Each structure stands twice: as C-alpha cells, then as structure tokens.
Amino acid sequence: MPKNSILSQMPMDLGNNLKLRFATHADTDALAAFNTRFHEEVSVGPNVRDLMSRDHPTCKASDFTLVEDTQTGKIVSSLCLISQTWTYSGIPFKFGQPEFVATEPEYRRRGLVRKQMEVIHALSETREELMQGITGIPWYYRLFGYEMALDMEAEQVIDGIHIPTVKKGETKTCRLRSRTDADNAFIEDLYETAIQHHVFACPRTSEMWAYEFNGRSAGSDARHEFLLIEDMEGARLGYVQHVQWCYENFLILRMELKPGVGYLNLIPSLLRALWEKAKVTPVIAENDNPKATGVQFMLGREHPVYQVLPKSVARKAPPYAWYIRVPDLIAFLRHIQSALEKHLIGTVAEGYTGELKLNFYRSGVHLKFERGRVTDIADWTPKDVEEGDAAFPDLTFLQLLCGRCRTEALTSNFVDCWTNGSTPAVLLDCLFPTFAGEVWHL
C-alpha cells in the first residue's frame, strides 16, 4: 500500500472528537441498529448483519467504515463497500457497490461521508474494481463523481382486479411450486443463460448461488424466494424470483423461462398463480391497506413477458438509475475492447476504419479503428472546446457507455453535447448499445 494512500492513514482522527475507522465484527449489533434506524426498514438490520457475519461471499465487517464520537462511543456516520463481479457484454469486470450510507443529522455537513467515500474508493482501487455503482437518493452522489447512468427498476404492474379470470373451457397451462435444493442447478442455468444476452449483468459463482438460496437471513431485504413454474405434468418450465414481502402492496417479481418455452400460452394461468401468491404474501406499505393489490414485474424496460401482458391494463413505470463512477475510463474501455468490436458486427459500422475523438472539455479519449478492430484507445486532450468528433460535458458520456441514452437524446438534452456530423453519432450508438434490462446485484 503506498505511504500516501488514505488507507495507510486509517484509523483517522477527523478532529472534534471524531474518529474514522474500519468496522470490526464487534460493531455488528451497533451498525445493524444504526442502519435500521436511518433506512427506516426492519429488514435492513438482518442485511447488515449478513454482510458483516463472515459468511457473505464478498463482504465482511471491515468493508464497513464508521465515524464514532470518541466522547460518547456513538456511531455517527457509516457506509460500506460490497465487492462483486459484473459483466459487460460477457466480459467480466470487478465492480464495487458503496451502500448503507447514513449520518446522524447533527453531524451532517461536516464532510464525513466525503471522507469515507475517499476511503471506500481507495479500497475499491486496491481490488482493481473498474466501476463503482450506488443505488441511492436523487442527486446526492453526484457530489462524489457519480452519474445517474444505468437503468434500474424499470417495471410493469398489473393490479389484481385486472388479472384475467378463467374463461369457459380454458385449460390451465402451468402452476407454481416452492423451490427445493434439487431445483438449484436448473435456476442457475436459466439465469446464466439469460444474462448472456445482457449488456450489463451480475453472474454468480457456485458459492454465491449457495448463499442466495440458503445463506441470507430470513428477515433480510436482500433475500429472495424462488418458485418453479411447472406444466400440469410437473415438468419444469422456468422460475419466478420474488422478495419476501409485497412492497407498497405489490409482489415484486423477476422470472425466466427455459429455451423453447414461450409466455403466450402460459400467461393467463401464470398471472392467476402469481396473484394467488401475492395475496398470501406479507405486505409492507406506507398506507393502511394490509393486503396486496397487484403484481409488479421488475424486469427492465424490455422483457419477453411484457409482450403478452394485457396491454390495456399493464402500467409501465419508468426506470430509476444507478449512480455510476468509472475512475479510469481509458482502463475500462481497454478492458471491454473486444466487446466494442463485437458490437460493430452486423451493424452499419461493421468493418469500420477511422478514428473517433471524444471531447470531455478538460480531457478526452482517442479511439482508432482498422477494419472493425479497435487498434488503440488513448488519452487525448482537446486544444479547444470545439475540437474532436463528439463532445460530452461533465459525466454525460457514462449515460451512453451504460446504454441508458442514445447519442441523439444526449445531444438534444444537453446543448453542449454534440457530434461533428452523422458518422460519429452512428459509430457511437453501434459501439455502445442500449441496455434495457435489470441487474440483479449482490
């Protein structure tokens, strides 16, 4: 560890009787209570305990930072880093997820979160994590070099009153049953097959799968239950994954079918079975209604099941977004270079020869192409604000990189985002395809 690294300064005296340090296993009870209070959900406590328990595959107690008041011994601020591996068009890369950020109100605006983020970013760097991402409140994490750039929680909802009833003469086509350990390999295979087609995804090792099925605490908000979709003879057709409660009166779902099975014949029976499951699932809601009111498919902006949901009653909810930080864009682009080349195949940019200079105003990137191969990705400093083939102010390029926006949308929404003619716009959209899915993260 370099001597000037912030990690070498831990634990750190912040002045005013405040000390920043890494957590230990002995802090588990206090941090679980602290986060439960600030995130206002009982299920947060078991999640924090799991992350600190020594059983989680990628996180441990010392991945939490905390600031304590040395006069009282009270924890006044904390956050953590959950390390994992994601893929970009099939290419694995290391990803760090800061989470559980909270500070006591009377200790806010003292830079406590900023200092902890510096520590977490340095820790992430030692693990060679090329990207960080946060699921958090609006605007705030822009302060620490993040851009809301990757789709999250795009969904479609059907109210229970609109679930189709059984028609005269209709035959039931499928049913649901609870998962057993004998189904684990089937679920793993379906998930891993499905994410092969996703621009961004979070694969699991066998250790992680074992933890997802049987390792998380029953009360944790990160625990999911799995149901098997069967035909009426008991053959497995797919699976449904859902959280343990109906949030805001809706049962939240993910699902996949095995290759060769389509949703069209299944959807009436499947919707009815899901609605029956929702009605017996405990409800967490801010209103006084203790019952489920519908089912919610959290499958991204696009998914095959959306095509067969009743169009007149299915309601779309626009996606929120992950905050994304890429500390070394050149390193990340070089890491995914083969994916960029693959993205050109079958497009109008296939076999492209030329160059592409991206102007970020105070910095830039220079890409060179030869017959569809990327021959160089290098730093480039524009001499003036109008130099280059395309310009992206601030961190807006991350929205293109992560597939949330196309070039035309960016140039329309940001007047200082531009392309020099149509060729750069076409090439950029071919290099960085749309991501319309949902990442099931750790």
Side-chain angles (χ1 to χ4, degrees), residues 245-430:
W245 307 277
C246 291
Y247 279 104
E248 295 303 319
N249 306 101
F250 290 96
L251 183 65
I252 301 174
L253 310 166
R254 297 187 180 99
M255 61 172 55
E256 296 295 342
L257 296 181
K258 69 180 184 180
V261 177
Y263 285 97
L264 190 59
N265 288 331
L266 300 181
I267 199 63
S269 295
L270 184 55
L271 283 176
R272 286 192 287 270
L274 292 172
W275 177 227
E276 292 303 313
K277 176 63 179 177
K279 288 190 289 187
V280 297
T281 301
V283 171
I284 295 178
E286 295 180 358
N287 55 50
D288 296 328
N289 184 3
K291 298 182 179 179
T293 58
V295 295
Q296 178 175 312
F297 298 88
M298 192 175 288
L299 297 164
R301 277 184 283 172
E302 297 176 3
H303 190 274
V305 74
Y306 294 162
Q307 300 177 39
V308 295
L309 294 179
K311 296 294 187 293
S312 60
V313 294
R315 294 182 283 116
K316 295 182 180 180
Y320 191 57
W322 281 83
Y323 284 95
I324 296 296
R325 175 179 182 264
V326 181
D328 187 338
L329 182 59
I330 297 294
F332 185 80
L333 291 174
R334 287 173 177 168
H335 186 78
I336 64 169
Q337 177 175 323
S338 61
L340 301 181
E341 295 171 348
K342 183 177 70 174
H343 292 164
L344 297 182
I345 298 172
T347 73
V348 294
E350 185 170 7
Y352 180 76
T353 297
E355 61 181 6
L356 183 64
K357 290 183 176 180
L358 305 180
N359 183 338
F360 303 143
Y361 290 97
R362 289 186 291 183
S363 64
V365 176
H366 188 182
L367 297 94
K368 296 180 180 179
F369 302 84
E370 182 67 35
R371 297 181 181 180
R373 302 297 300 273
V374 180
T375 60
D376 191 32
I377 303 174
D379 281 312
W380 168 69
T381 303
K383 295 179 181 178
D384 62 62
V385 296
E386 296 182 347
E387 187 178 7
D389 301 299
F392 297 90
D394 299 324
L395 298 174
T396 53
F397 176 74
L398 296 183
Q399 297 191 39
L400 182 68
L401 172 68
C402 294
R404 184 172 173 86
C405 289
R406 300 292 76 208
T407 305
E408 182 179 5
L410 290 171
T411 56
S412 296
N413 292 329
F414 300 91
V415 294
D416 50 354
C417 180
W418 48 261
T419 60
N420 187 9
S422 61
T423 296
V426 172
L427 180 58
L428 284 165
D429 285 347
C430 293

Side-chain angles (χ1 to χ4, degrees), residues 183-196:
D183 300 309
N184 293 356
F186 175 79
I187 294 171
E188 293 174 32
D189 288 345
L190 284 195
Y191 175 80
E192 299 296 337
T193 297
I195 65 173
Q196 290 177 9

Side-chain angles (χ1 to χ4, degrees), residues 7-75:
L7 299 179
S8 67
Q9 303 171 38
M10 298 286 283
M12 186 183 304
D13 183 354
L14 302 181
N16 298 312
N17 302 309
L18 298 177
K19 182 173 73 174
L20 168 59
R21 63 175 175 85
F22 289 113
T24 69
H25 190 69
D27 297 307
T28 299
D29 289 345
L31 277 174
F34 178 80
N35 279 285
T36 298
R37 182 159 52 89
F38 278 98
H39 296 285
E40 298 181 338
E41 289 185 9
V42 175
S43 57
V44 167
N47 194 353
V48 170
R49 291 180 182 278
D50 283 351
L51 292 169
M52 301 181 70
S53 68
R54 302 189 181 104
D55 295 326
H56 192 279
T58 72
C59 190
K60 54 188 180 298
S62 58
D63 291 328
F64 282 74
T65 59
L66 61 86
V67 178
E68 62 182 358
D69 188 320
T70 57
Q71 284 192 323
T72 63
K74 179 181 177 182
I75 295 173

